Amino acid sequence: MVKKKTCVFISGNGSNLKNLISNSRNSNFPVKISLVISNNKSAYGINYAKKNKIPYIFINTKIQNYENKIFLNLKKYGISFICLAGYMKIISTKLIRDYRKKIINIHPSLLPKFKGLNTFQRILKNKEKKTGCTVHYVNENLDSGTIISQKSFDILINDNENTLRKKTQRLEYSVFPQAIIKIFRYN
């Protein structure tokens, strides 16, 4: 199996990146993490790239034409697939068009509910009975692309933002790799 050279975009702790790197070591997993891009110089997730000798770059999204640096690096490393794993920036329309159906994101809610930020706070405020996570294709609208995979769990009476975050992350660690396998099984 020829693995797809994949770039993971992160902004923070990188726990999903760590999980994807671990999965990519399996010979049957369809992607190889070949590049990590972060918009946050101090993102802890960069340590997983360093530890696993994966090239990584910092993109200052506050400067003009920063997207050119993204495109140059995607081309340089032969990237054909992109995973957004806690990347807290909007992806450009040009990147979405150039990588149509080749960019996926994991979101900590059961989309289409609770798109965007402050997800757990809004879930609790809305007194939801269930929550979970969604892997979806990225399109021009925030958290609105075609859903690839979704898993849920029941919200308990004593759950708070922190417990929901932890439960959701645990679920993400199985859902994200399963969604990637599903994508390449049918392509």
Side-chain angles (χ1 to χ4, degrees):
M1 167 197 284
V2 177
K3 294 183 176 230
K4 298 284 182 192
K5 290 185 176 182
T6 299
C7 178
V8 180
F9 284 52
I10 64 168
S11 293
N13 288 331
S15 61
N16 272 301
L17 168 64
K18 179 183 178 188
N19 182 52
L20 291 176
I21 291 169
S22 177
N23 276 277
S24 72
R25 291 192 182 118
N26 179 330
S27 61
N28 295 327
F29 197 66
V31 304
K32 175 183 191 261
I33 310 303
S34 301
L35 179 64
V36 174
I37 291 178
S38 180
N39 66 317
N40 175 3
K41 247 185 210 164
S42 56
Y44 185 82
I46 294 294
N47 291 313
Y48 300 121
K50 288 178 183 175
K51 193 161 123 182
N52 290 281
K53 297 177 177 47
I54 297 169
Y56 61 92
I57 59 166
F58 165 70
I59 300 288
N60 182 350
T61 55
K62 290 178 174 70
I63 62 167
Q64 197 172 7
N65 298 326
Y66 72 87
E67 291 167 342
N68 291 343
K69 189 174 178 185
I70 291 174
F71 278 104
L72 287 171
N73 280 282
L74 294 175
K75 188 174 179 127
K76 175 181 174 182
Y77 291 98
I79 301 300
S80 61
F81 192 67
I82 297 171
C83 296
L84 307 182
Y87 186 64
M88 304 308 281
K89 291 299 286 182
I90 301 292
I91 297 294
S92 76
T93 301
K94 181 174 176 12
L95 185 61
I96 291 167
R97 286 191 186 133
D98 284 7
Y99 282 83
R100 173 87 42 210
K101 291 279 190 186
K102 291 181 173 44
I103 306 175
I104 64 171
N105 180 45
I106 187 146
H107 184 75
S109 78
L110 297 172
L111 293 174
K113 285 185 168 187
F114 307 106
K115 298 173 183 180
L117 302 174
N118 304 314
T119 310
F120 305 115
Q121 179 185 13
R122 292 185 295 141
I123 288 167
L124 291 169
K125 187 177 178 187
N126 207 50
K127 298 184 182 350
E128 294 293 313
K129 302 284 184 229
K130 281 185 177 303
T131 191
C133 59
T134 305
V135 179
H136 64 94
Y137 286 105
V138 174
N139 66 14
E140 289 84 355
N141 301 311
L142 181 67
D143 296 328
S144 298
T146 303
I147 292 172
I148 302 158
S149 191
Q150 219 173 34
K151 289 264 167 75
S152 66
F153 62 87
D154 293 328
I155 297 174
L156 304 177
I157 196 142
N158 60 345
D159 273 326
N160 56 42
E161 286 182 48
N162 195 39
T163 60
L164 289 184
R165 182 176 292 105
K166 286 178 181 172
K167 289 177 182 182
T168 302
Q169 282 181 327
R170 274 197 302 275
L171 201 57
E172 288 175 349
Y173 301 151
S174 65
V175 175
F176 212 178
Q178 287 168 4
I180 292 169
I181 291 167
K182 181 179 176 182
I183 289 166
F184 290 104
R185 182 179 301 142
Y186 299 114
N187 281 349

